[in-house]
Amino acid sequence: MKSKTDIQSLYFKYVETTQKAADFNNAAALLDWDQEVNMPSGSATFRARQSASLAEYAHHLITDESYGKILQQLADTTFLSESQQANVLLSLEDFHKHKKLPASIINKLTNQASISFQAWTKAKKKNQFSLFYPELEKMIALKRQQCDLYGFQTHPYDALLDDYDKGITTTRLDEIFGEVKTHLSNLLEKILQKPQVEDDFLYQAFDKENQFSLSIEILKSIGFNFEEGRQDYSEHPFTTSFSPQDVRITTRAEQKNFKGLIWSSIHEGGHALYEQGLPTDAYGLPLGMPASLSIHESQSRLWENCVGRSAAFLKYFFPLAKQKFSTEFEQVDTSMIYKAVNKVQPSLIRTEADELTYHFHVLIRYEIEKALIAGEIQCKDLPTVWNELYNKYLKVVVPNDTIGVLQDVHWSHGSFGYFPTYSLGSFYAVQFFEAAKKENPTIEQDIQIGNFQLLLQWLRQKVHRYGRRYSSDELSKLATGSELNFSLFMKYAREKYSAIYGFDVN
Ligand code: CO
């Protein structure tokens, strides 16, 4: 039997090791950030190995048997505070999960990811799927092994989903995407019968530097802390963080597309506000980590869509944009830009999709991933399957594989189970936003004058400060009173888009 003092010093040892692992992982993340933002093109080989060594060392620290023993001892005692206990139980869960994958399969997955990624890059560039699928086949074989090692109850894909959002299953996703198929399809049909909104003025020449400085202004006003973060350019926008006090976002400028930089910047800004809002006193520990990828994405989508594409926000934002682009926007008013940035149009590329058709892009990937992992479809048939599903759900014809089945990087990395979190995040976003407005009825008026304090405070209180303490649905229940409820998203979408496109809400 250990004394309370022994237990506290054991807990201190646990914290020390876990935070050390976080130090190594965060240093690796800094190397990865540099690779995307600054690194000369010829430096990739040694960089990859440096970052892999750091990650490997971190992994070693938290999978070592002695670490597991400490965790087990701590889990069995009653001397810990509630939050200490929460950290220990989550770390123990991670430990057991890590232990399920032997080092040999982790190595195989890492190597295959790098080979598949190179094959994918080449295949996409040459529009030749045959260069990719033999490597993808090997990756899927490894992922299926991973499912068996993790274990699952009903569907092997559940084991992979769990990595991104603990507790989410194919059964639940079938339900949610079932509703997407009926209700969202209906709404989309109604929209497409109406005359299209005008958005040509978004595609003039917009000075890139001006776009960037406008985005900085917006980021500052929503609460991004530039004393503890930065925004840079990269090929693909992303957010990364090395601690709550050093959060990096990137963006991409396109001269001829005003929709690109600003809203991607707000999106990443939403991710960043979450990272900056995680408790510093739980650095490196589960309670200092984001809850799940779905919740992370809920934060980015809330700022990008619920706020950034709202009429209230445009009232505040558009005069600022007009100061920078007075000639370009001379003939444009707030209601025109509001409609333009909310234009709904089925398209081929997921990352360029609007707020509604986006979920069909995810649905298609979800159906394919589930079938691939279950062994129900073959890799070589993917282009046919892909094109058929795009025709079925979005009524678009895919002209080639580069902008079809080869458009996303995820499968080459072995990230199966990631896509659904994009949709779940959007649905949670609406639920959080509605709850925040209910508790603070002035939020919308505040947004019109560029005051985002109340909203950010609500998110800090209800979401950010808990770290990983709760699962996505537990957090949602606590913050909004219920688990994920897709009908709230539909209500929001019906009200917003019936007004924009001019039809009866029912
Ligand atoms: Co995101």
Side-chain angles (χ1 to χ4, degrees):
M1 203 62 185
K2 285 197 183 297
S3 72
K4 195 167 180 181
T5 333
D6 290 343
I7 289 297
Q8 285 305 330
S9 69
L10 205 58
Y11 185 78
F12 182 73
K13 212 167 168 194
Y14 149 72
V15 170
E16 204 179 37
T17 312
T18 315
Q19 290 185 328
K20 196 167 270 182
D23 291 339
F24 283 101
N25 280 327
N26 287 322
L30 175 56
L31 291 184
D32 296 342
W33 170 84
D34 176 77
Q35 174 158 6
E36 302 295 323
V37 172
N38 285 319
M39 193 186 75
S41 60
S43 313
T45 311
F46 288 107
R47 176 57 53 87
R49 114 174 223 152
Q50 290 154 353
S51 136
S53 294
L54 288 171
E56 200 183 301
Y57 190 66
H59 187 79
H60 167 74
L61 284 176
I62 54 161
T63 49
D64 197 76
E65 286 303 338
S66 63
Y67 181 73
K69 265 190 203 133
I70 293 178
L71 284 171
Q72 196 55 62
Q73 280 176 301
L74 289 170
D76 292 340
T77 156
T78 50
F79 290 139
L80 296 178
S81 73
E82 202 202 330
S83 53
Q84 288 178 330
Q85 198 181 29
N87 276 324
V88 166
L89 293 181
L90 286 163
S91 289
L92 187 61
E93 205 177 285
D94 293 345
F95 177 80
H96 288 314
K97 190 159 187 188
H98 287 136
K99 280 294 181 192
K100 287 183 179 173
L101 295 189
S104 60
I105 187 159
I106 296 180
N107 286 338
K108 279 184 199 161
L109 279 163
T110 314
N111 289 334
Q112 189 56 44
S114 127
I115 297 167
S116 308
F117 174 71
Q118 284 169 32
W120 169 78
T121 312
K122 213 182 261 174
K124 184 175 178 179
K125 205 167 164 191
K126 294 192 169 175
N127 184 32
Q128 225 175 309
F129 185 72
S130 59
L131 295 175
F132 179 46
Y133 86 76
E135 297 308 329
L136 182 61
E137 254 166 20
K138 291 180 205 158
M139 176 56 90
I140 287 166
L142 287 169
K143 294 310 277 189
R144 293 180 59 169
Q145 274 184 50
Q146 189 181 343
C147 296
D148 291 335
L149 289 163
Y150 275 161
F152 54 88
Q153 301 229 305
T154 28
H155 196 288
Y157 188 58
D158 291 350
L160 301 179
L161 287 169
D162 197 78
D163 267 349
Y164 303 102
D165 191 348
K166 192 171 78 184
I168 195 82
T169 59
T170 46
T171 313
R172 183 81 178 103
L173 286 175
D174 284 345
E175 260 170 45
I176 295 169
F177 282 115
E179 293 195 56
V180 168
K181 274 190 258 187
T182 49
H183 301 302
L184 200 53
S185 292
N186 276 340
L187 179 61
L188 187 58
E189 229 165 82
K190 279 188 188 164
I191 292 171
L192 296 177
Q193 282 163 9
K194 289 287 166 181
Q196 190 48 281
V197 300
E198 199 214 313
D199 70 340
D200 292 351
F201 53 83
L202 294 174
Y203 305 99
Q204 310 170 65
F206 295 93
D207 180 74
K208 289 184 184 178
E209 285 309 307
N210 273 342
Q211 289 187 53
F212 191 86
S213 68
L214 184 57
S215 77
I216 298 281
E217 218 175 307
I218 298 305
L219 286 167
K220 275 184 188 154
S221 67
I222 65 174
F224 183 90
N225 180 357
F226 278 93
E227 302 283 308
E228 298 178 351
R230 331 174 16 108
Q231 174 174 260
D232 294 89
Y233 285 118
S234 73
E235 170 121 15
H236 301 284
F238 67 94
T239 301
T240 186
S241 127
F242 321 128
S243 80
Q245 294 175 346
D246 193 351
V247 179
R248 311 291 177 96
I249 63 174
T250 69
T251 192
R252 173 173 54 187
E254 254 180 275
Q255 198 188 27
K256 295 233 158 141
N257 180 3
F258 187 71
K259 272 207 294 193
L261 191 149
I262 299 292
W263 280 271
S264 119
S265 208
I266 301 174
H267 178 99
E268 301 307 329
H271 282 302
L273 289 175
Y274 187 18
E275 293 284 345
Q276 290 187 329
L278 291 170
T280 44
D281 59 5
Y283 166 80
L285 305 176
L287 298 195
M289 302 287 190
S292 69
L293 279 193
S294 303
I295 295 300
H296 224 306
E297 194 68 8
S298 77
Q299 300 305 291
S300 58
R301 303 273 167 160
L302 184 148
W303 288 98
E304 179 195 356
N305 292 331
C306 303
V307 175
R309 291 183 210 276
S310 70
F313 177 79
L314 286 152
K315 261 190 200 151
Y316 156 69
F317 166 77
F318 197 47
L320 297 175
K322 261 187 152 165
Q323 278 173 22
K324 291 233 179 340
F325 301 105
S326 52
T327 2
E328 292 82 351
F329 287 140
E330 205 187 339
Q331 308 291 327
V332 182
D333 65 27
T334 310
S335 126
M336 287 162 76
I337 187 133
Y338 171 62
K339 288 182 180 173
V341 300
N342 284 299
K343 180 179 179 178
V344 174
Q345 188 166 47
S347 62
L348 293 164
I349 312 271
R350 175 184 60 85
T351 54
E352 291 165 13
D354 57 77
E355 197 182 352
L356 298 188
T357 59
Y358 189 89
H359 302 295
F360 294 97
H361 293 265
V362 175
L363 163 65
I364 289 167
R365 286 153 179 79
Y366 167 62
E367 290 191 348
I368 291 178
E369 289 191 353
K370 210 172 81 175
L372 276 173
I373 296 299
E376 291 160 5
I377 49 175
Q378 300 303 312
C379 279
K380 64 172 169 39
D381 300 327
L382 273 182
T384 317
V385 175
W386 181 277
N387 298 352
E388 276 171 12
L389 288 173
Y390 264 78
N391 204 348
K392 178 176 167 193
Y393 290 123
L394 287 163
K395 312 269 181 305
V396 291
V397 176
V398 181
N400 63 61
D401 292 339
T402 298
I403 54 172
V405 68
L406 289 169
Q407 66 182 266
D408 296 305
V409 68
H410 302 57
W411 292 344
S412 76
H413 288 157
S415 302
F416 289 85
Y418 194 126
F419 285 119
T421 67
Y422 293 134
S423 283
L424 295 177
S426 310
F427 306 151
Y428 279 121
V430 168
Q431 196 161 333
F432 287 140
F433 190 57
E434 296 302 328
K437 283 194 296 184
K438 213 173 202 174
E439 279 179 49
N440 302 280
T442 62
I443 279 182
E444 240 157 10
Q445 287 141 266
D446 290 352
I447 292 177
Q448 291 182 22
I449 53 166
N451 181 353
F452 304 93
Q453 273 306 310
L454 269 181
L455 177 59
L456 182 57
Q457 281 322 312
W458 189 90
L459 293 169
R460 292 263 189 263
Q461 282 303 311
K462 303 282 182 167
V463 181
H464 302 178
R465 73 182 169 114
Y466 291 119
R468 264 181 72 194
R469 184 186 284 254
Y470 303 110
S471 72
S472 306
D473 264 337
E474 285 167 354
L475 194 60
S476 169
K477 214 168 171 181
L478 213 61
T480 73
S482 73
E483 294 181 347
L484 183 61
N485 178 355
F486 178 74
S487 67
L488 293 173
F489 176 82
M490 274 317 301
K491 183 170 180 284
Y492 155 86
R494 276 192 199 106
E495 282 171 5
K496 177 171 175 179
Y497 289 94
S498 63
I500 291 173
Y501 279 90
F503 53 87
D504 195 45
V505 70
N506 299 307

